[in-house]
């Protein structure tokens, strides 16, 4: 993957690969970076469905920013 762009998610800058639509998002519990599918909504804002951390198993809600 080529993380050639950045997105702001929850006030945090995240590396983003626009070809695969994968962003590296930090877990709010343990700070592990996770690969998460992110899409750009109709309003131009990045969106994701939330994710479970690969390291600690905590659920990270998209609203937690």
């Amino acid at each position: 993957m080529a993380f050639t762009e950045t997105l702001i998610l929850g006030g945090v800058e995240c590396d983003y690969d626009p070809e695969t639509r994968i962003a590296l998002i930090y877990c709010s519990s343990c700070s592990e970076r996770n690969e998460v599918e992110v899409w750009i909504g109709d309003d131009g804002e990045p969106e994701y469905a939330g994710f479970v951390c690969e390291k600690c198993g905590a659920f990270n809600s998209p609203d937690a920013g």
Side-chain angles (χ1 to χ4, degrees):
M1 279 181 252
F3 296 98
T4 57
E5 296 184 16
T6 57
L7 300 175
I8 304 297
L9 297 167
V12 177
E13 190 174 283
C14 302
D15 293 329
Y16 181 65
D17 179 349
E19 289 188 27
T20 61
R21 299 186 314 173
I22 298 292
L24 296 175
I25 303 177
Y26 292 93
C27 173
S28 61
S29 180
C30 74
S31 299
E32 179 76 10
R33 287 196 332 173
N34 290 260
E35 293 182 358
V36 179
E37 182 178 9
V38 176
W39 60 93
I40 306 303
D42 292 336
D43 59 359
E45 293 296 315
E47 301 177 12
Y48 65 101
F51 65 96
V52 174
C53 178
E54 297 168 358
K55 181 178 179 183
C56 73
F59 178 71
N60 290 259
S61 169
D63 302 324

